[in-house]
Amino acid sequence: MSYSIDEIDRQLMRKLQQHARITIVQLSKELHMSAPSIRERILRLEEQGIITGYHAAFDDKQLNLHLTTFMMIKTERCQEVVAFCEQALEVTDLHRISGEYNYLLRIQTTSMEELVHFQENIGRLGVSKSHVSIKNIFEHRYPKF
């Protein structure tokens, strides 16, 4: 049986997404509910598998990862592409996609030279098409709740 998410759950999830380390006390103040009610809702969301974890976010620029690239790969060597991407620290996201290309990768590199090196290595596994991000508007957004 699936759990029905209400508006309070949605507000709670948005708050947790913005700041995963927010205290129960602060959440109860912001949502105008008792701390035990907030704690119970969080536990229920965790038990239902809706909240799957709490994560730290990092500033790419502070880590000298100035270049974000989205790359599509067309290949018949799917297992090898997945294995390569699992080992490549530059790859932050890997998606199996439909259409002419098989995979969409998000890559973080320190420079264009590092990106070229990565492209040369993965190019041995198939044809690639790259798009360099010029500005990040927003990311990690969950619009359905």
Side-chain angles (χ1 to χ4, degrees), residues 84 90 114-126:
F84 177 87
E90 299 90 347
E114 189 178 332
L115 174 62
V116 168
H117 179 72
F118 178 86
Q119 285 176 314
E120 288 169 352
N121 288 329
I122 202 163
R124 297 180 186 125
L125 300 174

Side-chain angles (χ1 to χ4, degrees), residues 3 6 8 21 29 44 62 68 72 76 83 88 94 100 104 108 115 120 138 145:
Y3 176 72
D6 63 14
I8 295 169
R21 294 183 66 179
K29 287 178 186 175
R44 195 173 329 125
Q62 293 291 329
T68 301
M72 294 184 294
E76 292 182 9
L94 175 63
E100 182 180 353
L104 174 66
Q108 291 294 136
L115 174 62
E120 288 169 352
F138 61 81
F145 67 83

Side-chain angles (χ1 to χ4, degrees), residues 8 11 25-35 37-38:
I8 295 169
Q11 290 176 25
V25 171
Q26 187 61 38
L27 282 168
S28 69
K29 287 178 186 175
E30 291 185 23
L31 297 176
H32 309 290
M33 295 178 65
S34 71
S37 294
I38 294 291

Side-chain angles (χ1 to χ4, degrees), residues 7-132:
E7 185 55 35
I8 295 169
D9 289 333
R10 286 183 182 86
Q11 290 176 25
L12 177 59
M13 291 188 307
R14 280 192 288 271
K15 298 275 184 196
L16 288 170
Q17 186 180 23
Q18 291 166 357
H19 184 54
R21 294 183 66 179
I22 190 170
T23 65
I24 300 287
V25 171
Q26 187 61 38
L27 282 168
S28 69
K29 287 178 186 175
E30 291 185 23
L31 297 176
H32 309 290
M33 295 178 65
S34 71
S37 294
I38 294 291
R39 188 176 294 107
E40 182 180 316
R41 283 179 176 269
I42 290 172
L43 285 172
R44 195 173 329 125
L45 290 166
E46 290 172 345
E47 288 168 358
Q48 292 296 318
I50 295 167
I51 295 177
T52 59
Y54 299 87
H55 308 279
F58 303 101
D59 185 326
D60 294 333
K61 289 187 179 32
Q62 293 291 329
L63 296 171
N64 198 28
L65 298 171
H66 300 283
L67 194 61
T68 301
T69 305
F70 296 92
M71 181 182 290
M72 294 184 294
I73 304 289
K74 184 189 328 182
T75 186
E76 292 182 9
R77 299 165 66 182
C78 293
Q79 300 264 347
E80 291 175 69
V81 168
V82 171
F84 177 87
C85 290
E86 287 175 339
Q87 298 302 309
L89 298 177
E90 299 90 347
V91 179
T92 61
D93 298 272
L94 175 63
H95 300 269
R96 182 74 157 98
I97 59 174
S98 65
E100 182 180 353
Y101 290 84
N102 307 82
Y103 296 96
L104 174 66
L105 291 67
R106 181 175 182 261
I107 303 159
Q108 291 294 136
T109 55
T110 60
S111 65
M112 196 60 104
E113 291 79 19
E114 189 178 332
L115 174 62
V116 168
H117 179 72
F118 178 86
Q119 285 176 314
E120 288 169 352
N121 288 329
I122 202 163
R124 297 180 186 125
L125 300 174
V127 177
S128 69
K129 186 179 209 179
S130 299
H131 301 274
V132 174

